[in-house]
Amino acid sequence: MAIRHAWKWPRARAVALMLAPTLMLAALSGTAAAEDGGQGATPEPDAAVTASELAQRTGEEVEVTEERGVAERVFALPEGGFRSELSAAPRWAPQPDGSWKDIDTDLEFKPDGSVGPRTALIDVEFSGGGTDPLVAVADSGRSAALRWPGELPEPVLVGDTAEYRSVLPGVDLRMTAGVEGFRQVLVVRTEAATNDPALSEIELTQSNDGLRIEENAAGGISVVNAATGESVFSGGTPLMWDSGSEAAANASGDPVKDALQEDPAAAPMPGDTHAQVALEVSDDTVTLTPDPELLDSVDASSLPLYIDPPLSIDKPDKSASRSFYTWANSGSPSTTYDNFDDDKGIGRCTSAGCGSAYVGRMYFEYNLDGWENRKIYDATFHVYETFAYNCTPSFVNLHLVDAAKVSKDTTWNNKPSDGDLMGDRNVAYGNEDFGCENGSVDFNDSADESNENLTSTVRSKAGSGSPIAFSLRAADEDAASGWKRFKGDTGTLQIFYNTIPSKPSSERTTSPTTTCVEGSARPVIRDDTPVMTVNISDPDPHNVRALYRVWDMVPGTNVQVYGDLWTAYKADGTFEKGIPAGELTHGHTYHWHAQGSDGIDSGEWSDWCEFSYDNQRPSTSPKVTLETGDLVAGGTAKFTFLPNGSVDTAYGNDIDRFVYGLNTDTLAASTDPATRGAAATGVPVTVPKFGLNVLSVASVDDAGNVGPVQDYVFQSGRACDDPPAEQCAVASYRLDEASATTGTDSASTTPVDQDTLTIAGGTKVAGSNAAVTTDKAIHFDGVATGYGTVASLVDTRQGFTVMARARVSDVSVNRAVVSQTGANGNGFTLYWSTTYGWVFGRHRDAASGGSDAARAKASAPGASPLGKWVHLAGVFDPSKNQVTLYVDGIEQGSDQVILPNEDGTTYDPTKVWHADGGFQVGRARWNGAFADAFKGDIDDIRVYPTVLGARDIEKTASTD
């Protein structure tokens, strides 16, 4: 029996995962890059890609050496595929430089005098003689060793075996190296030796550094990590056996006794008497006590006697970690033979050379964990035959067996039942006396044999990542002619396959990004060319692409949109594809799914993702009403936003939310109604400043379409004991600055309330109060480039008062002192008219820009104002529907803003319009253009968001 090490060699992947498609070459060329506009960068080719290209170019197989494992090789094939060879036993050992060497267990003397295998998977040393440890094993810098009681002779090396001859009189010790371990056997050659007291109890001394030797539940020993208790080696019960079978074969004179061909020192065979060896493990020793009855019963005819010490142990959990093989026979029904060396027989061994008749079977297991996403095209099982009873072919069967019942503990007594027949072969190899040479027996599905299911069975097991196990047996186990021998370590499962791209994940529809759902929770999108996005990976190191299919879910039709939508090839990652413009219909619902392809195979379809398409914006601007709250600077008012009759042709009232902003074009704030399509109530808005404020609101539907913006303009006030006082104005411009480019707002003390006047083309002159030398005014020359401007200061739909002092120097044309304009005309203007004299007027509606205006004027123009300072004031009182003009504090006249209806009913105040084009100094609007440039001096401008009475105006006019 052999010690097996729990090696965990580093691998790029646990199992090779490559099949480079012929189409992959296109993916790496300009053809794929041109598709979809060259989406995705071509990755640097790795070893598998390079090997695939070389194989297709040369017509020869190319190994992907980077994917080699201790029991596996991967080859790129000329036709564009890959195949994996899974061996039943390790065949290659990794080297520190990353290369690989063929395993060679022949022993050699090392420079330090010890003995070890040339290339193996276990760090093991045998003694070179003397007092050195008999055997030492190491694992990850830790070690354990056993010493023989006394000095050892220098060993004789015969292939993989070191023979220590006469360690006791008539007793040899053989240490045999294996691929992953070693075997230790005492060979008792004489009857006298069986009576030697030194053989009745053998005490081996143990020494440890990080490892610890202990007895396990099976009656054998384990070598464990001293710190963690994790098993590094483990073994079964030590045995001893005589050579009864060998003696019977030798005595028979049978010309075909080579049918036995067993190594008698490897394990007991049918006809051998065997017994358990007692074992005791302490901190310092391992004591071996051979069975005294078997020692006493041995005579010359049954010698030699073999004692397998307790270090004949195996790697733990072997069946779960890697492919392996074993043998079972009816003659030794409770003996295990896993990973045996050399060859074993299957069928019935009946000749005298067998020692005693028995039936043998072999079992092979292969680990397919990690193969779930691989598409398998073909599978072949190979095993090498070394002997046949004669050269007349007989059938050998390969059966599927339950992998859960195949392990290192498999014996004839607990062997699994044969299942489905994977294949049978009528062969005879390996009997040179009859003229047939050794040869490989290959099991591959034959089109002529409907009951051969190897490929489909491997495919099924790989699909679930389950191990697969086979029995190799003679079809007729009653016929001696069916006896054959095979080398177990040649059992190879060859698989041609391709790894299928993963099922797409993280599905989402972007523009905007939405989740992947079905049913009533599906998103509604507005983008005419939405982008579908998934993540796809392929364990193979080559490029993949994504296929998208979109379907219009019109009841009863389910029409595909546009056709197949492919991305370009690229490495694993995120794949995006947009639906072409013009393919979606407003009000329709669609679903899509995606699939990955590597050019050979396509993976599983993704889950369905649904969306509805809505490209209609809300049809109306929302209605905005004030609920509660005083419109006072610094206070909070609550508003109601209503859909205002918005109707989508497909979805009806689909208003999902409202967005709004105060005194900004950026509608960053959002509020949701209690239910879809309802009003949003109690929306709090903090009033930041005194005077004019604009609350802008728009409706947004389920798809994110934004409707027309509704501006709700309102004026906020402040507490004022003296209404005409300067601090009660929304803005006041004394124009006393030294610079002629700006006018400071003297009515406001906080930055948020400041409304600075910007002046162009003016000069500074003495102000209206000649007694104060610091009093200044602004002078304009009556040209279009001379004016002052600032954002609209009052809501011209609500009551307000505007004042200014003016000294006109030319009255040959109309001269505007101040105004607040719209796109076409004026919300109000104070000006000199060549027809009417001083006038306070406003256009009756926003569309007006010409003569359709209300004009408050004196009954007669009066004396010429040239060169005289005059105080002008205009008042709009919506409660009276009139504008009123004051000159030097004296009321001049009034006019109706909205004329009565023809039927005599009163005016409709909702027709009063707001001029939002800005407050102007020295100009006004006429038919959509600035006009009436002022020529002269202007001083002391004030604008109030309230209606001032005649007494207040008179007071202000008479105050310097």
Side-chain angles (χ1 to χ4, degrees), residues 106-107 155-163 165 175-176:
D106 281 357
L107 297 175
V156 177
L157 306 186
V158 182
D160 60 0
T161 300
E163 295 184 354
R165 295 174 179 173
M175 303 296 292
T176 301

Side-chain angles (χ1 to χ4, degrees), residues 290-632:
D291 181 68
E293 292 185 6
L294 184 53
L295 284 175
D296 291 342
S297 67
V298 173
D299 57 22
S301 66
S302 58
L303 288 173
L305 174 72
Y306 301 99
I307 302 175
D308 185 8
L311 281 185
S312 298
I313 57 179
D314 299 314
K315 179 183 66 177
D317 301 324
K318 174 176 43 180
S319 61
S321 61
R322 191 168 62 231
S323 307
F324 78 105
Y325 61 97
T326 190
W327 182 62
N329 72 81
S330 62
S332 299
S334 61
T335 303
T336 60
Y337 300 88
D338 60 296
N339 283 15
F340 55 85
D341 293 333
D342 299 323
D343 54 2
K344 296 289 185 187
I346 66 168
R348 179 170 293 277
C349 188
T350 60
S351 71
C354 298
S356 63
Y358 64 90
V359 175
R361 295 181 186 176
M362 286 186 185
Y363 297 92
F364 299 85
E365 180 178 315
Y366 298 92
N367 180 15
L368 298 179
D369 183 31
W371 286 66
E372 291 85 349
N373 290 329
R374 296 164 182 77
K375 183 173 182 179
I376 294 173
Y377 296 95
D378 187 54
T380 301
F381 176 78
H382 306 269
V383 65
Y384 193 71
E385 184 178 348
T386 60
F387 179 83
Y389 186 82
N390 55 43
C391 288
T392 301
S394 62
F395 277 97
V396 179
N397 288 354
L398 186 72
H399 287 269
L400 179 71
V401 296
D402 186 350
K405 296 181 179 179
V406 178
S407 72
K408 65 180 182 179
D409 298 321
T410 296
T411 66
W412 186 263
N413 286 339
N414 63 19
K415 67 184 183 300
S417 300
D418 288 336
D420 189 22
L421 179 68
M422 298 291 96
D424 55 6
R425 293 295 179 266
N426 194 24
V427 294
Y429 297 113
N431 194 325
E432 296 179 1
D433 293 339
F434 289 84
C436 46
E437 300 295 329
N438 297 354
S440 178
V441 180
D442 302 331
F443 294 85
N444 182 268
D445 295 343
S446 170
D448 298 329
E449 299 285 346
S450 61
N451 63 341
E452 294 189 342
N453 303 309
L454 179 61
T455 297
S456 61
T457 304
V458 171
R459 183 181 298 132
S460 175
K461 294 292 185 180
S464 61
S466 302
I468 190 169
F470 308 109
S471 70
L472 185 70
R473 53 164 292 175
D476 184 353
E477 293 183 328
D478 293 325
S481 59
W483 175 257
K484 303 177 188 298
R485 298 182 68 86
F486 294 89
K487 286 184 64 66
D489 61 2
T490 65
T492 301
L493 184 61
Q494 177 179 266
I495 305 175
F496 293 81
Y497 66 93
N498 175 39
T499 303
I500 299 173
S502 67
K503 177 182 178 180
S505 61
S506 301
E507 306 96 321
R508 53 208 181 275
T509 307
T510 59
S511 313
T513 300
T514 63
T515 56
C516 180
V517 294
E518 294 180 89
S520 60
R522 72 178 68 90
V524 182
I525 65 174
R526 66 181 183 277
D527 195 336
D528 184 46
T529 57
V531 176
M532 301 167 290
T533 304
V534 295
N535 291 350
I536 300 175
S537 63
D538 189 335
D540 285 351
H542 53 68
N543 292 339
V544 293
R545 63 177 179 168
L547 166 64
Y548 290 90
R549 286 178 177 166
V550 187
W551 306 84
D552 190 334
M553 297 172 65
V554 176
T557 57
N558 202 34
V559 179
Q560 186 174 1
V561 175
Y562 186 79
D564 288 353
L565 297 168
W566 289 95
T567 69
Y569 281 98
K570 70 170 191 174
D572 298 354
T574 301
F575 293 79
E576 298 182 343
K577 190 68 178 181
I579 298 174
E583 296 295 324
L584 303 181
T585 301
H586 174 72
H588 285 212
T589 296
Y590 300 85
H591 64 174
W592 63 268
H593 58 179
Q595 181 185 55
S597 172
D598 58 13
I600 297 179
D601 290 304
S602 296
E604 184 180 353
W605 284 99
S606 70
D607 296 334
W608 284 104
C609 301
E610 295 182 1
F611 66 87
S612 295
Y613 178 57
D614 177 0
N615 68 345
Q616 285 186 10
R617 62 187 301 208
S619 59
T620 63
S621 59
K623 181 179 180 181
V624 181
T625 61
L626 176 65
E627 287 184 26
T628 60
D630 294 329
L631 296 178
V632 177

Side-chain angles (χ1 to χ4, degrees), residues 54-381:
L54 181 60
Q56 293 177 71
R57 186 167 62 249
T58 63
E60 301 289 338
E61 288 188 359
V62 177
E63 183 184 359
V64 187
T65 55
E66 289 79 358
E67 289 299 322
R68 186 186 290 197
V70 297
E72 179 183 12
R73 291 191 299 178
V74 176
F75 294 88
L77 305 178
E79 59 269 25
F82 280 70
R83 67 178 172 89
S84 174
E85 290 183 358
L86 298 175
S87 175
R91 297 172 61 186
W92 305 278
Q95 302 303 300
D97 63 358
S99 64
W100 293 85
K101 281 188 178 181
D102 290 348
I103 289 175
D104 182 356
T105 57
D106 281 357
L107 297 175
E108 61 183 4
F109 282 98
K110 303 296 183 180
D112 63 358
S114 65
V115 173
R118 293 175 180 172
T119 308
L121 296 179
I122 184 173
D123 187 358
V124 61
E125 293 180 355
F126 300 149
S127 174
T131 59
D132 290 341
L134 170 62
V135 59
V137 293
D139 177 72
S140 303
R142 300 158 302 189
S143 63
L146 284 174
R147 295 179 182 273
W148 181 258
E151 292 192 14
L152 289 167
E154 181 176 321
V156 177
L157 306 186
V158 182
D160 60 0
T161 300
E163 295 184 354
Y164 300 87
R165 295 174 179 173
S166 299
V167 293
L168 294 173
V171 179
D172 298 335
L173 174 60
R174 296 179 186 175
M175 303 296 292
T176 301
V179 174
E180 297 179 281
F182 60 89
R183 185 174 66 245
Q184 177 181 347
V185 177
L186 286 169
V187 183
V188 182
R189 294 181 281 103
T190 67
E191 287 187 73
T194 63
N195 298 315
D196 188 340
L199 192 63
S200 64
E201 184 177 272
I202 303 171
E203 185 176 273
L204 305 175
T205 304
Q206 66 163 306
S207 59
N208 306 302
D209 182 8
L211 298 178
R212 183 178 71 252
I213 299 175
E214 60 184 30
E215 186 174 357
N216 60 32
I221 68 169
S222 291
V223 180
V224 302
N225 184 318
T228 65
E230 178 186 7
S231 180
V232 180
F233 306 97
S234 66
T237 304
L239 297 176
M240 57 189 296
W241 61 94
D242 66 12
S243 297
S245 61
E246 187 176 8
N250 291 334
S252 69
D254 192 310
V256 294
K257 70 177 183 180
D258 59 353
L260 182 64
Q261 293 186 336
E262 303 294 349
D263 177 3
M269 292 297 299
D272 295 339
T273 302
H274 61 276
Q276 184 173 334
V277 178
L279 174 70
E280 182 178 348
V281 181
S282 70
D283 291 341
D284 302 317
T285 61
V286 175
T287 303
L288 177 71
T289 304
D291 181 68
E293 292 185 6
L294 184 53
L295 284 175
D296 291 342
S297 67
V298 173
D299 57 22
S301 66
S302 58
L303 288 173
L305 174 72
Y306 301 99
I307 302 175
D308 185 8
L311 281 185
S312 298
I313 57 179
D314 299 314
K315 179 183 66 177
D317 301 324
K318 174 176 43 180
S319 61
S321 61
R322 191 168 62 231
S323 307
F324 78 105
Y325 61 97
T326 190
W327 182 62
N329 72 81
S330 62
S332 299
S334 61
T335 303
T336 60
Y337 300 88
D338 60 296
N339 283 15
F340 55 85
D341 293 333
D342 299 323
D343 54 2
K344 296 289 185 187
I346 66 168
R348 179 170 293 277
C349 188
T350 60
S351 71
C354 298
S356 63
Y358 64 90
V359 175
R361 295 181 186 176
M362 286 186 185
Y363 297 92
F364 299 85
E365 180 178 315
Y366 298 92
N367 180 15
L368 298 179
D369 183 31
W371 286 66
E372 291 85 349
N373 290 329
R374 296 164 182 77
K375 183 173 182 179
I376 294 173
Y377 296 95
D378 187 54
T380 301
F381 176 78

Side-chain angles (χ1 to χ4, degrees), residues 691-723:
L692 188 66
N693 291 272
V694 180
L695 178 61
S696 300
V697 186
S699 302
V700 183
D701 65 15
D702 292 333
N705 294 302
V706 181
V709 176
Q710 175 65 49
D711 287 335
Y712 183 86
V713 182
F714 62 91
Q715 293 179 161
S716 63
R718 62 164 66 113
C720 287
D721 295 333
D722 184 11

